[in-house]
Amino acid sequence: DEAGLRSSASQLAELHGELTGQLVLERQLAEHRVELAELRTEQVGQAETIALAERQLAELPAEQAALAAEQAGVAAVAGRLAELQAERARAEQRLAAARQAALAAAEAARAKQLFQQLFEDAARAEEQFSALQQRWRANIASELGLALVAGDPCAVCGSVEHPQPARLQPDHVSQDQVRQAGERSRTLSTERDRRHQQLLEQQEALSQLQAEADRLTPELAAATLDKATAAVTDAQQAADRLPGLQTRLAELARQEKQLAERLGTARTLAGQLTERVDGLLRTIERDKKTIIWARDGYPTVAARQADLQLRLQAVERAATAAGETGRATTAAEAAGTIFAGALAEAGFADEPAWRQAVRPAPTLVALRNQVTEYDDRLNTVQARLAAPELADPALDQLPADLSALAELAERAQADEQQAAQAHGAAQHRAEQAAVLAERLNRAVRTSAEVLRQTAAAIRVGNLVAGLGENRLRMELTSYLLVRRFAEVLAAANTQLQRISAGRYQLEHTDERSGTGKAGLNLRVLDLHTGRPRDPATLSGGETFYVSLALALGLADVVRAESGGIDLGTLFIDEGFGSLDAEVLDEVIDVLDSLRSGGRVVGIVSHVSELKLRIADQIKVIPAPNGGSRVQLTA
């Protein structure tokens, strides 16, 4: 019966619920085994880490000792770097002195040879001069005899008769020959003495150079320099290696500390892993016993629980079926009793008589609709008959005055006609509005199509005009002028640097001024402060000479253009009174350089200093009786 089946289902459900906890244990057992395998793998890794750290810690002291010894040796060599560099410098000086001494020795040898030759030449010239003098003295009588003229007194004895004048000998020497030999002897002697003095100076310089070279030959000095250079190179390399060795020693110390920390951490983790493995093994053994009991011969707890679930569902379905069967039997008995009473109450003898009287559903629906429609019509008529206006007895009487009603009827007809006219006019306006709305829609569609077709042209037009997508807000004409403007600024800055004593420099900027468009805007870079300035912040004098620099820059760019016009004349109207004396001098110097370059510069000014500095002037002098006259001053 249902009660017995429900009791069995309750027992099965209780056992199924108990196995839920064992099912969790079974799942956890698999996870524990996976975790145990991972822990054992981690134990192996920690053991390898510990072994590696211990081996590396054991190897570090030997490497540290070797590096320390190497560092000490390198430091000792590097410590002599300055001394070795000084020694190399001295070796370089000795080599240079030795090479100069070799050159000086060769030069001294040539000078000595020349001096020896001059000495011999001077000796021979002196001997020749002495011999010529002796011969000239010996033959001087012949020269006197040549000079004797009959009738003229002798220069020696005074006689006017010259019976046997001396005649020239074959070895006669003239006085010119003696003079020439004397001059040659003196020249050679002077040159000999000069050469001798030069030789002494060269020998002294040679001795000094040899002393500076420590009496070394160029070859020995070069070998000494090579040795010193090699020593400096070794010391420099040692000095270069020293930071690396120090860094390596520090790195080894850091590695030793890290290895010690790693070893301690690994040992701690190894201990923790051992504890976890032992605890996990105990948990697995305990859970295995519980799960074996819970499986009760099934391969898994889940399989036993699934079998219990199937048995539970079968028992519950059987209990439900048993209950529904009992309730259906009871309901059938009660329904039979009620049906018999209904047949008797309706006047049917039995069920076949009732079935004969049954009508189809559509027929019943049509009959019910007819009854409902009749009831609705009846209720409507009764409601209208019960209205207050039909209940008034006076309605059945004749009206007292028909004229008033006739007037009301006429006014009602007039109102109706007016309303009809208004309705007709409104309907006409509505039709016209519909036509106009259609025309407007067509115009809107046409406008949209035109805008679509001309969108590219409109976009280009906006870009050219500095509107729309033109983020710079710069017109095309301004954009095309920017490059020329940059050239003007470059030329203007050349003049402005000179006038402002290197303080100001002009820069082009794309920033917009207020809500306007971008274009040929300027800012002034103050090189004293390093900050840009708005030109509006310049003083009157600064504004004047910045404007002057721009005008000069524009003139230079125009003149530099191929086929351009040379702006040969420049007029400057006023503005000089706002300049201080120093800036005024710079401006005048710039204008003078323009004038010297062939330009005509005209200045319109009332500044008295300019009247003193400008030579060519055109003065406008007021006349006492009105008017004025022009006076030219050159």
Side-chain angles (χ1 to χ4, degrees):
D1 57 3
E2 182 180 6
L5 290 171
R6 294 292 180 189
S7 175
S8 297
S10 176
Q11 294 175 0
L12 290 172
E14 183 178 357
L15 181 57
H16 184 277
E18 290 177 357
L19 291 178
T20 300
Q22 313 307 324
L23 181 61
V24 173
L25 284 180
E26 186 177 45
R27 293 173 182 172
Q28 288 178 348
L29 180 62
E31 296 173 357
H32 289 334
R33 287 172 175 167
V34 173
E35 184 180 1
L36 179 62
E38 293 175 351
L39 289 177
R40 285 176 171 168
T41 302
E42 192 172 352
Q43 275 184 320
V44 174
Q46 290 299 329
E48 293 175 353
T49 301
I50 292 172
L52 178 61
E54 289 176 345
R55 185 173 65 254
Q56 291 176 341
L57 279 174
E59 294 172 354
L60 277 179
E63 186 178 359
Q64 288 174 327
L67 281 175
E70 184 179 1
Q71 181 189 21
V74 169
V77 175
R80 297 186 62 241
L81 179 61
E83 177 185 353
L84 293 173
Q85 287 175 339
E87 181 61 29
R88 182 180 62 181
R90 288 194 296 272
E92 290 174 348
Q93 294 173 357
R94 285 196 298 270
L95 177 58
R99 289 173 177 172
Q100 292 177 0
L103 295 175
E107 186 67 25
R110 288 194 297 271
K112 186 176 182 180
Q113 185 178 0
L114 290 174
F115 170 72
Q116 186 66 33
Q117 183 66 39
L118 280 172
F119 184 81
E120 295 175 357
D121 292 344
R124 286 194 297 269
E126 189 174 355
E127 291 176 359
Q128 186 179 4
F129 174 62
S130 178
L132 288 174
Q133 275 186 327
Q134 290 178 1
R135 289 169 58 191
W136 177 75
R137 291 192 187 98
N139 296 320
I140 193 171
S142 61
E143 285 191 4
L144 291 175
L146 289 176
L148 291 176
V149 179
D152 291 338
C154 177
V156 177
C157 64
S159 175
V160 295
E161 295 181 358
H162 314 295
Q164 293 181 348
R167 296 291 181 261
L168 293 176
Q169 301 297 322
D171 58 349
H172 175 74
V173 176
S174 67
Q175 191 174 2
D176 288 338
Q177 289 177 322
V178 173
R179 186 179 65 256
Q180 292 175 359
E183 290 178 354
R184 183 172 181 274
S185 176
R186 286 190 296 274
T187 300
L188 289 173
S189 297
T190 302
E191 182 65 17
R192 178 197 62 194
D193 295 340
R194 189 183 67 80
R195 290 285 185 178
H196 183 256
Q197 182 64 33
Q198 184 178 0
L199 179 60
L200 293 177
E201 292 175 356
Q202 288 177 339
Q203 289 176 344
E204 183 179 356
L206 176 59
S207 299
Q208 184 176 357
L209 289 173
Q210 289 175 342
E212 292 178 0
D214 289 343
R215 306 297 174 181
L216 296 176
T217 64
E219 292 75 13
L220 291 176
T224 304
L225 177 59
D226 292 341
K227 184 177 179 181
T229 301
V232 169
T233 301
D234 293 340
Q236 185 63 55
Q237 291 176 352
D240 294 339
R241 288 180 56 201
L242 189 57
L245 292 173
Q246 293 173 346
T247 303
R248 180 57 182 164
L249 280 171
E251 178 66 19
L252 289 178
R254 186 179 63 81
Q255 288 182 4
E256 183 178 16
K257 182 179 178 182
Q258 290 179 348
L259 286 172
E261 293 176 353
R262 189 185 306 168
L263 181 59
T265 303
R267 287 173 175 170
T268 302
L269 290 176
Q272 294 175 353
L273 287 172
T274 301
E275 293 178 358
R276 291 176 60 188
V277 167
D278 294 341
L280 199 57
L281 286 172
R282 290 192 296 270
T283 301
I284 290 173
E285 290 300 323
R286 183 185 67 245
D287 292 346
K288 280 173 62 177
K289 296 177 182 179
T290 304
I291 291 170
I292 290 172
W293 169 84
R295 287 176 179 174
D296 193 22
Y298 286 86
T300 62
V301 176
R304 184 184 179 191
Q305 191 180 42
D307 184 63
L308 286 175
Q309 180 68 27
L310 292 175
R311 292 167 61 191
L312 175 60
Q313 291 174 355
V315 172
E316 287 179 345
R317 286 196 299 271
T320 301
E324 289 178 353
T325 300
R327 288 190 293 274
T329 301
T330 303
E333 293 175 354
T337 303
I338 294 172
F339 183 63
L343 287 176
E345 184 179 354
F348 292 101
D350 52 15
E351 183 176 352
W354 168 74
R355 292 189 180 280
Q356 186 178 2
V358 171
R359 296 289 182 270
T363 303
L364 291 176
V365 170
L367 293 174
R368 289 193 183 100
N369 289 337
Q370 290 179 7
V371 172
T372 301
E373 182 180 356
Y374 175 79
D375 290 340
D376 292 339
R377 290 171 60 193
L378 178 62
N379 293 332
T380 300
V381 172
Q382 289 178 347
R384 291 177 64 185
L385 290 175
E389 59 270 18
L390 296 179
D392 186 3
L395 292 176
D396 296 332
Q397 298 178 3
L398 295 175
D401 187 4
L402 293 178
S403 60
L405 293 176
E407 185 178 353
L408 289 175
E410 291 177 359
R411 284 202 300 269
Q413 290 177 355
D415 292 340
E416 180 185 7
Q417 185 178 1
Q418 185 177 1
Q421 293 175 352
H423 174 71
Q427 186 174 6
H428 178 68
R429 287 195 299 272
E431 293 174 354
Q432 289 182 336
V435 174
L436 293 176
E438 179 60 25
R439 291 174 58 188
L440 180 60
N441 289 332
R442 287 198 303 271
V444 169
R445 289 193 296 271
T446 302
S447 176
E449 179 64 20
V450 171
L451 288 176
R452 186 186 65 79
Q453 295 176 356
T454 60
I458 293 174
R459 179 176 177 271
V460 173
N462 288 335
L463 290 174
V464 170
L467 303 172
E469 300 177 9
N470 191 329
R471 292 176 294 175
L472 295 178
R473 310 297 291 171
M474 184 185 299
E475 296 180 354
L476 179 61
T477 53
S478 299
Y479 180 78
L480 294 176
L481 285 174
V482 165
R483 180 177 177 184
R484 289 287 186 266
F485 193 46
E487 297 175 359
V488 172
L489 290 183
N493 282 328
T494 302
Q495 303 293 349
L496 183 58
Q497 287 279 328
R498 179 178 175 184
I499 297 174
S500 65
R503 177 175 181 179
Y504 292 127
Q505 182 176 340
L506 296 176
E507 292 182 344
H508 172 251
T509 177
D510 292 332
E511 296 180 357
R512 290 182 290 172
S513 301
T515 59
K517 297 178 180 179
L520 308 178
N521 293 327
L522 282 176
R523 64 181 179 186
V524 181
L525 180 60
D526 192 339
L527 299 180
H528 287 186
T529 62
R531 297 179 179 178
R533 294 174 54 181
D534 192 297
T537 63
L538 297 175
S539 65
E542 292 171 338
T543 301
F544 170 72
Y545 64 67
V546 168
S547 301
L548 176 61
L550 277 171
L552 298 177
L554 178 60
D556 290 340
V557 170
V558 170
R559 184 170 59 178
E561 286 293 328
S562 176
I565 300 174
D566 187 3
L567 299 182
T569 304
L570 175 67
F571 284 95
I572 304 173
D573 188 5
E574 296 297 347
F576 294 93
S578 60
L579 303 178
D580 56 33
E582 183 177 355
V583 177
L584 181 61
D585 290 339
E586 293 292 340
V587 172
I588 295 299
D589 289 343
V590 171
L591 297 180
D592 283 341
S593 65
L594 296 177
R595 186 171 59 84
S596 62
R599 293 183 181 178
V600 177
V601 180
I603 296 175
V604 181
S605 179
H606 298 83
V607 178
S608 300
E609 185 176 353
L610 289 177
K611 297 179 183 179
L612 300 176
R613 298 188 59 170
I614 304 301
D616 300 332
Q617 299 181 6
I618 302 175
K619 296 183 180 179
V620 180
I621 302 175
N625 54 354
S628 60
R629 61 186 178 87
V630 174
Q631 177 182 345
L632 302 180
T633 303

